[in-house]
Amino acid sequence: MLTNCHLARLVQEQAARHGERTALSYRDYAQGKWVPVSWSDFESRTRTVSRALLALGVGVQEKLAVFSQNKPECLYVDFGAYAIRAVTIPFYATSSGAQVTYMVGDAEIRYVFVGEQEQYDVAFSVMPLCPTLEKIIIFDPTVRKNPNDHLSVYFDDFLRMGEDEGLQGDVERRTADARFEDLINILYTSGTTGNSKGVMLTAAMYHEAFRANDAVLPISEKDILLNFLPFTHVFERAWSYFGLAEGAQLAINLRPNDVLQSLQEVHPTCMSAVPRFWEKVYQAVLDRMENGAPVVRSLISSAIDVGKRYMSYKSRGVVPPLPLTVKYRFYERTVIAYLKKMLGLERGNFFPTAGAAVPPVVEEFVHAAGIRMVVGYGLTESTATVSCDVPGMTYHIGSVGRIIDGLELRIGPNNEILLRGKTITPGYYHKEKATREAIDEEGWFHTGDAGYMKDGELYLTDRIKDLFKTSNGKYIAPQLIESKLVVDRYIDQVVVVADEHKFVSALIVPDYKLLEQFAHDNGLDALSREELCRHPQVVRFIADRVDTLQQDLAHYERIKRFLLLPRPFTMEQGEMTNTLKIRRKVVYEHYDADIRQLYADAEAEGHQ
């Protein structure tokens, strides 16, 4: 492992250790197969990138943008830039023209690397609005350039600029001068309100994150990490770099929708994911049970039940009773092995999960299925990991694990989680006021998340700014309620409404495929999606499921009324961030008239 190595030298030193062993792999869609890249090839390509960047005149700590979905080229540019002490700024592949214009201007970017046609088209369209932008460099050779574009070049042409070996001495001098205090990345947060902020990450922050994670996570050169989340996301970025530092292999999934196919082809030992992925897995297994033969339903149900009881002992560090252990071992070799193979997880080591609250029923199911989920909590400002479950130590369903070594945590006013340590950002790029608001004079970073510690584990309650106060004076945590509903296979998205209203309501996006199957089974085929969402039989069906899911909530927390929506919340409509978080303010604005009507109808009917 090289967790003590500066990122400027990481690839070079691993290549010296591992040579022709596979470092990366990616699916070649034209050939229909996964293509390996050795550590030697990885190092050669990053070295060429470094020289090409010098040929373009890229200076020390100059900012470069990578506007692409996950591709090996993203890593070549990253590590080629680090070797000459440049800074990379990843843009989400779905970023809009306005977002790209803002980030390019804020960071005064001269060079943008783009992935495919969509990113090229956006970048080229905003070029006249970005006075600093000089050149677009295109990864995908099949991209069609605009006929009026005389400035963009393809990645292969860019690499030819780095064939001059005479520049290598300058690269090596830059690398030798690399400091841990150097800025490595600026990650622009998605921004649930207003313009995003550029979080500054240094080499020292990654270095400390590697040290702390190495102490608790059993990753090694034997592991294969499937990249599912975008490299733009701090979770995937830090996790992937950590894997490279440990000598593990990265299998780069290009298109998020292909992840299930990639799991079957790669059979990874690790994959970082957000809870929504596991919710979909949970729902898929429920579908398999519901649509399977009676014997299949019975076997899966029994296996999961035994797994839950077995893991309830293991999670507390207690030896399970022998009869239960015997039953579990039987199911582990049969039904559970079948489920894991069906998902492509039969070689699983552990699977880090963060980014939102994991519904307890989903976490319980994943552990019962013999999948070692490592639940954690982190932020862009903390270089990802703040806390995580520690393999081999006790854990409790609902917690987000134990605080990593070297990080201080304090619970402040309003139960806000405050953090201080070497993995915490020095601040927001070009935003001194925002930095002062987030980091106090004593160096405590104010996360905006509410939580508490219990038995050495951290528990989250909600985003402080998201807490609602009803007109009756009761405080509501919307994410808690939403997390209970999204585990239902008929419910795809939920946004709770409560602030300054007498009772809790919700906007619900159903799973349209399943809803249309329900319509077919009940003779409602002729109805449009809009009509289905208003039909009394459909509303009653969803209402029964909602009532079941929220039985353990306090009376004032329960959803009394809801609207079924005929279209999902999307990034294109501005209702979701690039990290798939809901922009509540935008959603409320879009559905303002519907929400007002819902409460007006309730009041007219005497609903309190």
Side-chain angles (χ1 to χ4, degrees), residues 94-158:
T94 52
S95 294
S96 67
Q99 290 170 324
V100 170
T101 301
Y102 171 76
M103 293 184 287
V104 167
D106 189 54
E108 300 174 293
I109 292 167
R110 290 198 293 157
Y111 304 111
V112 174
F113 292 82
V114 300
E116 296 185 339
Q117 192 72 48
E118 180 182 352
Q119 293 83 40
Y120 166 77
D121 289 343
V122 171
F124 182 73
S125 71
V126 303
M127 216 168 178
L129 305 175
C130 302
T132 63
L133 185 54
E134 297 179 12
K135 193 179 294 292
I136 298 171
I137 302 161
I138 307 164
F139 290 153
D140 185 349
T142 67
V143 165
R144 300 178 305 279
K145 291 203 294 183
N146 186 293
N148 298 318
D149 182 2
H150 307 295
L151 295 173
S152 301
V153 298
Y154 292 102
F155 192 63
D156 287 345
D157 296 324
F158 163 77

Side-chain angles (χ1 to χ4, degrees), residues 7-51:
L7 287 175
R9 294 183 289 275
L10 178 63
V11 175
Q12 295 91 319
E13 294 197 20
Q14 289 289 40
R17 291 162 61 100
H18 299 299
E20 296 308 308
R21 199 166 69 80
T22 299
L24 316 170
S25 62
Y26 64 95
R27 182 192 286 115
D28 184 312
Y29 281 85
Q31 299 183 58
K33 66 177 184 179
W34 284 78
V35 178
V37 177
S38 70
W39 278 104
S40 294
D41 286 343
F42 189 5
E43 192 270 340
S44 174
R45 293 174 199 185
T46 58
R47 189 171 62 239
T48 303
V49 168
S50 295
R51 293 196 296 262

Side-chain angles (χ1 to χ4, degrees), residues 115 140 147 253 276 328 383 422 448 460 489 532 567 583 599:
D140 185 349
N253 184 72
R276 192 62 182 145
Y328 180 76
T383 329
K422 293 180 181 178
L460 304 180
R489 62 199 192 96
L532 271 179
R567 71 164 184 86
R583 286 192 169 104
Y599 282 100

Side-chain angles (χ1 to χ4, degrees), residues 238-250:
W239 167 247
S240 297
Y241 287 4
F242 176 50
L244 292 173
E246 294 282 12
Q249 180 189 146
L250 301 189

Side-chain angles (χ1 to χ4, degrees), residues 216-238:
V216 295
L217 297 178
I219 189 172
S220 73
E221 298 172 2
K222 298 178 181 179
D223 282 297
I224 299 175
L225 282 57
L226 179 62
N227 298 130
F228 163 46
L229 302 176
F231 288 140
T232 315
H233 198 304
V234 70
F235 185 20
E236 187 67 78
R237 175 168 288 260

Side-chain angles (χ1 to χ4, degrees), residues 202-218:
T202 66
M205 293 166 66
Y206 280 110
H207 177 255
E208 176 67 8
F210 294 166
R211 184 199 65 78
N213 281 283
D214 181 60
V216 295
L217 297 178

Side-chain angles (χ1 to χ4, degrees), residues 320-335:
L322 182 58
L324 180 60
T325 300
V326 171
K327 282 185 179 179
Y328 180 76
R329 294 302 179 208
F330 167 74
Y331 284 124
E332 186 180 40
R333 292 192 301 271
T334 55
V335 179

Side-chain angles (χ1 to χ4, degrees), residues 414-430:
N414 300 318
N415 295 321
E416 184 177 16
I417 297 168
L418 310 182
L419 302 170
R420 186 167 65 182
K422 293 180 181 178
T423 58
I424 301 300
T425 182
Y428 301 109
Y429 190 67
H430 282 170

